[in-house]
Amino acid sequence: MSQAVRCEHHDAIIIGAGISGLYQLYRLRELGLDVRVFETGGDVGGTWYWNRYPGARFDSESYSYGFSFSEELLQEWEWSEHFAPQPETLRYVNFVADKFDLRREIRFHTRIVRASWDEAALTWEVEAEDGHRARACWLITAIGPLSVPQLPIIKGMEDFRGHAFHTSDWPREPLDLADRRVGIIGTGATAVQLIPVVAETAGHLTVFQRSPNWCAPLHNAPIDAEAQAQIKAGYDTIFARCRASHGAFIHDADRRKAMEVSPQEREAFYEKLYGEPGFGIWMGNFRDTFVDEAANRTISEFMARKIRVRVRDPETAEKLVPKDHGFGTRRVPMETGYYETFNRDNVRLVDLNQMPIKRISPAGVVTSGEEHRLDILVYATGFDAVTGGFDLIDIRGCNGQSLKEKWANGPRTLLGMQISGFPNMFTIVGPHNAASFCNIPRCSEQNVEWVTDCIRHMRARGVRRMEAQEAAEAEWTTHVHESAARMLYSKVDSWFMGVNPNRPGKNRRIFLLYGAGAPLYREKCAAAAANGYEGFKLA
Ligand code: NAP
């Protein structure tokens, strides 16, 4: 028997059973396709399956995050809090998988390590770590922008005698922190959710901070019966607001510029935003805070004053005030009591700029000043963002071309959806795609629907091969970089800019997202489709 016969054959293969992969499965099945999903994890949920650390919860309003495609689902599901905790979100994803019977097409515990295009057969073949293989006409990656945990590179990590893990590997069995000495390395959005919760139960907590971030209050609250009824009656309005906004959140930039109003009015506006729930202070701020340094300085100074008021020890407060970047130029961590945590007797902040980590010892973390003895060490050190998931699969297109090599100097795509030289492959929520810089389900629904329409179009016309044209890809890549260049975040190191200090070769700034906003992105995708998939070669 030939090898090809022994491998599964499908119409479409989806890699990933998170929010995007599940919806893509639902839509392609509706189209009558035979679909197979491969998922590394043991169940559905993607980011919500893996990230179970205490304090993990939405930073987008719960009701703006759920799937919008089924009115019945919207009416059936009840979010309990304005910003739901991770266990509830995972229950939600499971509820969706059960309701639409999605699990039967998913092979769990299957990490795809290789994918190659067969030009003669016009199919993709994928291979899993366990040797399992499958073929299909279409390959859709739904692997998430923040799915590859990134450990730091520190001498002696393997010597630590206590319990050490990355936040996305938080132990599934209950972890008793009482009387334990816990260390957390990192102060990004994950750590900012985790730190206050750990501080409440741990015997002692040491936070190792290299770069402080500008954190804003989440102001979470339970959803009462009246609000629940309003939410259920108002989904159309909620989703319309998301559609109209830059990042598909319910918050959109204020049309005024920061300097157009008096200092008193500006202060009152910032105070109002600071007292409101969610990303409003970031996404709903004066529109020039993202592009104008003077405007940005006014909100940064406001935020710095808040930190200095909330943190009692002036020296600690100063360490928590970012000095090297303005507010909102990196992802704003949302916090609940984060700054007050540093007023507790059992919490210590170690500034790694003053005392860099020298090594991990069997007993803890050794900085230039001392050895911090620990029982548990948590790496809240982030992810190999956006392209990291692609790097883990050996993806080979026409003539065996490697995607990793093609992207060695940064991603090149058309609409963040297809890649020249890699026919019939779609990258939902991939690089240079608005969905990676977005209230993800809102934008991934658009990606999925665009891909579904495209496959419907191909089938209706007997088109068996679709590929981004090189010139159109180059034009899109230039557009992505040009629209990011005016934004202040392009002058700051962060995962937005592809900077990963722990991954050799990723220490330079190459923008990975799409900064011109979800509405423009949707328009461009729709225009390409309306013009017979302009920029793509259909054969
Ligand atoms: P992150 O923002 O990349 O933060 C990683 C942290 O680890 C940074 O403080 C970084 O410091 C530090 N770090 C990395 N390597 C280090 C080293 N070798 N030594 C010392 N410190 C080191 O990662 P994250 O906090 O996991 O968040 C990633 C993204 O996930 C967020 O931006 C957000 O988009 C998403 N997220 C979403 C939610 C939500 O929606 N609810 C919650 C959590 C996270 P430097 O800054 O100095 O490199």
Side-chain angles (χ1 to χ4, degrees):
M1 204 191 280
S2 81
Q3 290 205 326
V5 176
R6 272 193 281 121
C7 108
E8 289 179 27
H9 280 254
H10 303 281
D11 293 325
I13 288 172
I14 299 168
I15 310 179
I19 295 279
S20 326
L22 288 179
Y23 184 45
Q24 186 67 78
L25 165 62
Y26 172 84
R27 282 293 178 209
L28 292 184
R29 201 164 73 180
E30 199 179 49
L31 216 56
L33 261 61
D34 164 17
V35 188
R36 178 57 115 187
V37 181
F38 293 108
E39 164 59 49
T40 305
D43 207 339
V44 296
T47 200
W48 303 107
Y49 171 85
W50 295 106
N51 290 282
R52 297 164 187 247
Y53 60 85
R57 66 173 59 250
F58 281 150
D59 280 345
S60 354
E61 287 69 8
S62 310
Y63 39 88
S64 77
Y65 190 94
F67 291 108
S68 73
F69 67 86
S70 161
E71 185 57 31
E72 198 179 279
L73 172 64
L74 288 169
Q75 295 308 318
E76 253 173 24
W77 182 262
E78 300 210 334
W79 295 106
S80 68
E81 296 177 44
H82 285 269
F83 301 90
Q86 173 272 339
E88 182 169 332
T89 308
L90 189 58
R91 274 200 304 282
Y92 169 74
V93 186
N94 276 277
F95 179 80
V96 174
D98 290 339
K99 182 174 172 65
F100 299 101
D101 189 19
L102 297 174
R103 281 196 184 77
R104 67 187 150 93
E105 277 103 348
I106 308 173
R107 189 178 194 266
F108 292 107
H109 300 292
T110 307
R111 177 186 287 285
I112 298 298
V113 291
R114 189 181 65 80
S116 51
W117 172 247
D118 179 341
E119 188 67 55
L122 296 180
T123 52
W124 279 95
E125 180 172 302
V126 300
E127 186 177 333
E129 213 166 24
D130 65 3
H132 187 86
R133 288 180 305 118
R135 280 181 165 250
C137 308
W138 291 284
L139 174 65
I140 299 154
T141 60
I143 54 182
L146 297 160
S147 54
V148 180
Q150 182 64 65
L151 286 168
I153 306 167
I154 306 173
K155 214 165 67 185
M157 281 169 68
E158 60 293 340
D159 299 336
F160 183 57
R161 276 201 306 260
H163 194 173
F165 46 85
H166 187 273
T167 42
S168 67
D169 286 325
W170 194 275
R172 276 151 199 267
E173 62 282 3
L175 185 63
D176 186 9
L177 300 179
D179 303 325
R180 314 298 292 283
R181 297 160 303 177
V182 182
I184 298 179
I185 299 182
T187 48
T190 298
V192 167
Q193 290 187 331
L194 174 69
I195 286 166
V197 183
V198 169
E200 272 174 25
T201 45
H204 189 270
L205 170 63
T206 310
V207 175
F208 298 93
Q209 170 189 272
R210 189 163 62 184
S211 317
N213 282 300
W214 297 104
C215 312
L218 181 66
H219 295 302
N220 184 31
I223 296 178
D224 61 23
E226 194 188 332
Q228 192 72 257
Q230 276 173 6
I231 289 165
K232 288 197 178 181
Y235 271 119
D236 285 351
T237 315
I238 291 167
F239 294 136
R241 269 174 78 184
C242 292
R243 256 195 310 281
S245 79
H246 188 90
F249 291 92
I250 62 167
H251 313 278
D252 201 12
D254 192 284
R255 300 312 303 158
R256 297 170 297 169
K257 290 185 172 179
M259 301 307 187
E260 272 170 23
V261 303
S262 69
Q264 295 75 9
E265 212 179 319
R266 206 164 45 231
E267 184 76 6
F269 182 57
Y270 291 158
E271 199 64 63
K272 171 180 160 297
L273 292 174
Y274 200 79
E276 288 176 349
F279 276 139
I281 195 153
W282 187 25
M283 309 280 177
N285 216 312
F286 294 117
R287 67 189 159 108
D288 54 345
T289 50
F290 295 101
V291 290
D292 182 82
E293 293 202 7
N296 186 279
R297 209 168 303 123
T298 64
I299 179 66
S300 301
E301 282 166 4
F302 172 89
M303 298 300 285
R305 284 199 296 278
K306 288 292 182 193
I307 298 171
R308 291 178 184 125
V309 168
R310 289 175 61 185
V311 179
R312 277 202 296 267
D313 171 37
E315 227 176 275
T316 306
E318 237 24 68
K319 290 177 186 166
L320 289 163
V321 174
K323 307 288 188 318
D324 62 348
H325 68 281
F327 174 78
T329 59
R330 301 173 107 198
R331 170 35 159 98
V332 174
M334 300 307 291
E335 52 91 16
T336 304
Y338 178 66
Y339 290 113
E340 288 74 12
T341 298
F342 296 97
N343 297 333
R344 297 176 66 108
D345 292 338
N346 68 333
V347 176
R348 178 171 170 200
L349 179 66
V350 174
D351 181 352
L352 298 179
N353 296 305
Q354 287 173 0
M355 288 187 283
I357 297 178
K358 293 285 178 205
R359 63 188 161 87
I360 308 289
S361 69
V365 173
V366 181
T367 61
S368 54
E370 64 184 284
E371 181 175 54
H372 303 264
R373 298 176 78 80
L374 303 169
D375 303 304
I376 295 170
L377 175 56
V378 183
Y379 295 108
T381 45
F383 300 87
D384 190 13
V386 191
T387 50
F390 291 91
D391 291 347
L392 291 185
I393 308 173
D394 182 16
I395 302 178
R396 303 273 166 172
C398 302
N399 305 315
Q401 186 187 9
S402 144
L403 182 64
K404 199 170 170 178
E405 278 167 25
K406 172 165 174 150
W407 284 359
N409 293 317
R412 280 181 290 144
T413 77
L414 177 52
L415 296 172
M417 214 74 103
Q418 267 217 332
I419 304 151
S420 161
F422 296 79
N424 291 11
M425 172 170 141
F426 296 97
T427 52
I428 56 177
V429 201
H432 292 181
N433 179 319
S436 305
F437 203 17
C438 192
N439 186 9
I440 285 187
R442 296 283 63 75
C443 290
S444 83
E445 281 185 347
Q446 177 273 347
N447 274 196
V448 164
E449 285 157 18
W450 192 89
V451 169
T452 308
D453 285 346
C454 181
I455 292 179
R456 186 188 290 115
H457 176 94
M458 290 175 76
R459 292 177 88 214
R461 284 162 183 75
V463 172
R464 294 191 57 207
R465 189 183 190 284
M466 175 176 178
E467 181 189 351
Q469 289 173 9
E470 240 172 273
E473 181 179 271
E475 208 179 304
W476 179 256
T477 307
T478 303
H479 162 66
V480 167
H481 289 301
E482 280 178 0
S483 40
R486 55 188 285 273
M487 310 300 289
L488 294 176
Y489 57 65
S490 70
K491 296 163 185 64
V492 174
D493 285 353
S494 78
W495 69 262
F496 296 176
M497 295 306 300
V499 176
N500 179 344
N502 299 304
R503 183 76 49 160
K506 290 195 174 178
N507 51 2
R508 59 204 159 138
R509 292 182 195 155
I510 301 175
F511 188 53
L512 297 181
L513 310 174
Y514 179 74
L520 182 66
Y521 177 78
R522 271 197 315 273
E523 256 176 53
K524 287 183 178 287
C525 288
N531 295 328
Y533 293 93
E534 193 176 7
F536 298 88
K537 281 182 273 187
L538 278 74

